[in-house]
Amino acid sequence: MTKSYASSLKLTDFRLWEKLKKKRFLYSFDIELTARCPFNCRHCYINLPPGDKKAIKKELSAEEITHIAREAVERGALWCLLTGGEPLLRTDFPEIYMNLKKMGLLVSVFTNAALITDRHIQLFKKYPPRDIEVTVYGATKKTFEKITRKPGSFEAFQRGLNLLLENNIKVRLKAMALRSNYQELPQIAEFCRKATKDYFRFDPFLHLRFDRDCDKNRDIKEERLSPEKIARMEVSDPERFDSLKKECGRLVSEDFEKTAHHYLFSCGAGISSFTLGYDGNFRLCSSLYHPDLMYDLRKGTFEEAWERFVPSVRSLTSDKKEFLENCRTCPIINLCLWCPAHSYLEQGVPDEPVEYFCRTAHERYSRLKSLDKP
Amino acid sequence: MKKEDIYAPSEEIVARDIEGELIIVPLTSGVGDMEDELFTLNDTGKAIWKKLDGKKSVDEIISELSEDYQAESGEIENDVTGLLEELLKRKILSKK
């Protein structure tokens, strides 16, 4: 019999995960390399102009990013997502990417593909990313550019995506489901299925801007689909429909209202991951922009952020009646986009219900319930 | 494979120790050919891996392990050559 000493395993099969299940352990982190983007998408929460001097000045240097990432790796982190804004706007992207890869991180990249160059292709071919996720805003130039508000962006996106695909770089596609492209979603689905074999997903959940810009937030709200449309779209997507059906028992918990506590956070924010903002702010998750709930790594240490700041945020409580009587005890909270982070972006406080989210969750629930009926 | 050969972890991988588990992450294309593929070693493999410093020959590694584990050098030799061949095939090791 041949004895095997080395095994190649899929990530999910490592016995390490079983070992770490019971403890707080850092698995992954996101890095927002920049808040700038060449597109000006109507629905986007982080897209300052490419030449925004204030934003450029605040951006972490490649050295600072590498230093923080090394601290995360020393705590065991294995996955890293590079996002933005548009991460490829940074001319030092290859340097940052390679520094992360050399630490033994599995690196994913979110991009609009418009800035992909031959240099990026050579880099990704030799040092493959775990995946590159490209967002598809429309299947036609008219719809695409109605959303991006950038003439020429459709051609740039097509050119970049084709370069990635022709060079066999692993691409996943995602489509934002918006009012501006709703009529075109079937064509977008067809475009995505033709381009890659991977499952692509629609994301209809838009959250408000990190900078709380009122005019731009109005654009985002205008792009949101109605709760009815979101629920209908989910049910009509066979892959999403199946996964919702499977997860239904976990998503809807009648017992939830019996768990007596008034902690703000019931989600997993900061337990096994964190987000590094472009300006050096450590956040428990990508959406948590409340100024009191971020930690400035330029003024403190990663150890302080991870070991003490996160537990202190997660132990925050609220006695607000609207929170305690609604979101905190809601049995369908897991079907809802509500969380303290989104509550802050919508209402300016981390503990208030958000009517649109609430209606959407109930609509999703009633669709799910109707699925249970024989 | 000759006993005087010297091997070291390839520059095309990064070896990580996470909570006592050795995880080998491919850095370049062509090391893993499966989606999300990483590599790990069993306990015997880990003991041998620790000796692969790019300085010791295969023979020296076998002698050291025979002393460390007070085992028959024939048995250790089979373990060492078995692992090295497997790792070379997967481009995880390189010859110095």
Side-chain angles (χ1 to χ4, degrees):
Chain A
M1 195 178 80
T2 315
K3 199 168 168 184
S4 183
Y5 305 90
S7 326
S8 64
L9 293 174
K10 287 199 71 140
L11 270 175
T12 43
D13 298 336
F14 269 97
R15 62 178 176 180
L16 179 66
W17 314 139
E18 202 52 44
K19 220 173 172 180
L20 298 175
K21 250 182 187 172
K22 287 177 189 157
K23 57 197 267 193
R24 181 170 172 244
F25 187 84
L26 179 54
Y27 290 91
S28 65
F29 59 105
D30 301 351
I31 306 176
E32 267 170 20
L33 289 184
T34 177
R36 299 171 294 130
C37 183
F39 293 179
N40 181 24
C41 293
R42 293 177 52 79
H43 64 282
C44 187
Y45 66 94
I46 180 164
N47 59 356
L48 299 176
D52 189 309
K53 286 190 181 139
K54 259 165 88 179
I56 294 171
K57 207 174 164 193
K58 281 191 200 169
E59 282 171 9
L60 290 170
S61 67
E63 199 183 351
E64 286 174 308
I65 290 168
T66 305
H67 175 74
I68 295 165
R70 189 163 288 122
E71 299 228 35
V73 166
E74 280 166 12
R75 281 170 172 76
L78 192 53
W79 287 276
C80 176
L81 166 66
L82 293 178
T83 181
E86 171 49 51
L88 300 186
L89 250 184
R90 290 207 36 163
T91 51
D92 55 1
F93 175 87
E95 179 191 348
I96 295 167
Y97 178 82
M98 276 314 296
N99 288 348
L100 300 172
K101 286 281 291 178
K102 284 180 184 165
M103 288 178 207
L105 282 162
L106 301 168
V107 184
S108 296
V109 183
F110 280 6
T111 175
N112 58 34
L115 301 178
I116 294 277
T117 62
D118 286 333
R119 192 176 168 214
H120 294 124
I121 296 294
Q122 294 319 314
L123 178 74
F124 295 146
K125 273 176 86 169
K126 187 161 186 198
Y127 302 100
R130 183 170 182 240
D131 51 27
I132 295 192
E133 188 169 290
V134 178
T135 311
V136 182
Y137 301 107
T140 60
K141 179 179 168 69
K142 192 179 164 199
T143 302
F144 195 97
E145 293 183 3
K146 183 182 174 190
I147 292 166
T148 64
R149 295 184 284 203
K150 172 83 179 171
S153 57
F154 186 59
E155 285 84 359
F157 149 78
Q158 281 184 311
R159 187 199 52 81
L161 179 61
N162 288 338
L163 267 178
L164 291 167
L165 295 173
E166 283 159 12
N167 285 283
N168 296 318
I169 292 158
K170 191 175 165 195
V171 174
R172 288 182 197 276
L173 296 175
K174 177 178 88 173
M176 299 305 297
L178 314 168
R179 277 183 202 265
S180 291
N181 67 8
Y182 186 72
Q183 297 304 326
E184 209 169 284
L185 289 177
Q187 291 98 298
I188 294 175
E190 198 189 330
F191 174 92
C192 294
R193 289 196 172 109
K194 263 190 198 162
T196 72
K197 283 180 198 152
D198 266 317
Y199 169 68
F200 82 96
R201 61 191 174 96
F202 281 122
D203 186 355
F205 299 111
L206 309 183
H207 72 71
L208 299 185
R209 289 181 68 85
F210 75 102
D211 56 10
R212 312 197 75 231
D213 181 316
C214 293
D215 292 337
K216 291 183 173 175
N217 273 346
R218 201 175 309 123
D219 289 343
I220 295 175
K221 285 182 181 171
E222 279 173 12
E223 284 298 335
R224 281 176 171 166
L225 297 180
S226 69
E228 296 75 22
K229 275 187 178 161
I230 291 176
R232 205 180 316 137
M233 200 181 72
E234 276 187 334
V235 173
S236 63
D237 177 343
E239 281 161 284
R240 200 185 273 244
F241 172 91
D242 280 350
S243 96
L244 267 178
K245 251 195 336 191
K246 273 184 212 150
E247 294 287 304
C248 190
R250 191 181 59 81
L251 291 172
V252 179
S253 166
E254 299 297 339
D255 289 341
F256 196 62
E257 55 191 320
K258 295 176 197 154
T259 52
H261 69 70
H262 52 174
Y263 290 110
L264 265 178
F265 290 86
S266 299
C267 60
I271 291 180
S272 55
S273 60
F274 72 93
T275 294
L276 175 61
Y278 74 101
D279 52 1
N281 272 313
F282 171 105
R283 307 199 299 269
L284 274 70
C285 75
S286 63
S287 306
L288 192 57
Y289 285 98
H290 191 297
D292 298 338
L293 307 182
M294 299 192 285
Y295 181 92
D296 187 350
L297 285 173
R298 277 175 164 151
K299 291 181 182 159
T301 65
F302 186 84
E303 186 186 3
E304 177 68 22
W306 182 253
E307 303 294 346
R308 285 173 283 281
F309 180 72
V310 173
S312 74
V313 172
R314 288 196 59 87
S315 66
L316 291 173
T317 59
S318 169
D319 291 321
K320 194 178 275 185
K321 200 172 164 223
E322 298 96 306
F323 165 70
L324 294 175
E325 291 180 359
N326 292 285
C327 308
R328 174 62 202 88
T329 51
C330 179
I332 61 167
I333 189 74
N334 290 329
L335 286 172
C336 188
L337 194 58
W338 190 92
C339 66
H342 290 161
S343 168
Y344 170 70
L345 293 175
E346 301 279 331
Q347 318 282 60
V349 288
D351 52 357
E352 261 181 28
V354 178
E355 198 244 340
Y356 169 75
F357 295 164
C358 194
R359 281 196 296 123
T360 306
H362 282 278
E363 193 61 38
R364 296 176 82 197
Y365 178 57
S366 63
R367 292 274 173 169
L368 268 176
K369 244 173 60 175
S370 70
L371 302 178
D372 285 342
K373 288 179 187 158
Chain B
M1 181 183 303
K2 293 178 194 149
K3 282 192 173 177
E4 61 270 26
D5 286 347
I6 296 172
Y7 294 95
S10 152
E11 288 181 1
E12 297 186 23
I13 59 107
V14 181
R16 309 243 341 238
D17 179 338
I18 304 180
E19 296 281 303
E21 295 285 331
L22 178 70
I23 295 185
I24 296 166
V25 185
L27 180 61
T28 58
S29 56
V31 177
D33 53 8
M34 201 168 84
E35 185 190 345
D36 280 350
E37 191 177 38
L38 301 181
F39 300 92
T40 187
L41 301 184
N42 65 13
D43 289 341
T44 310
K46 274 197 278 185
I48 302 168
W49 179 265
K50 283 181 192 161
K51 305 278 184 191
L52 292 165
D53 58 2
K55 289 174 191 155
K56 294 183 190 87
S57 66
V58 175
D59 207 21
E60 284 169 320
I61 291 173
I62 294 168
S63 306
E64 279 190 21
L65 287 167
S66 305
E67 264 179 45
D68 293 348
Y69 292 92
Q70 296 181 335
E72 289 287 325
S73 64
E75 194 186 322
I76 296 277
E77 188 176 334
N78 287 341
D79 282 342
V80 171
T81 52
L83 177 70
L84 297 192
E85 277 164 10
E86 215 172 324
L87 297 183
L88 281 167
K89 200 173 69 191
R90 295 171 189 265
K91 297 192 199 166
I92 290 172
L93 275 190
S94 61
K95 195 175 162 190
K96 285 282 156 187

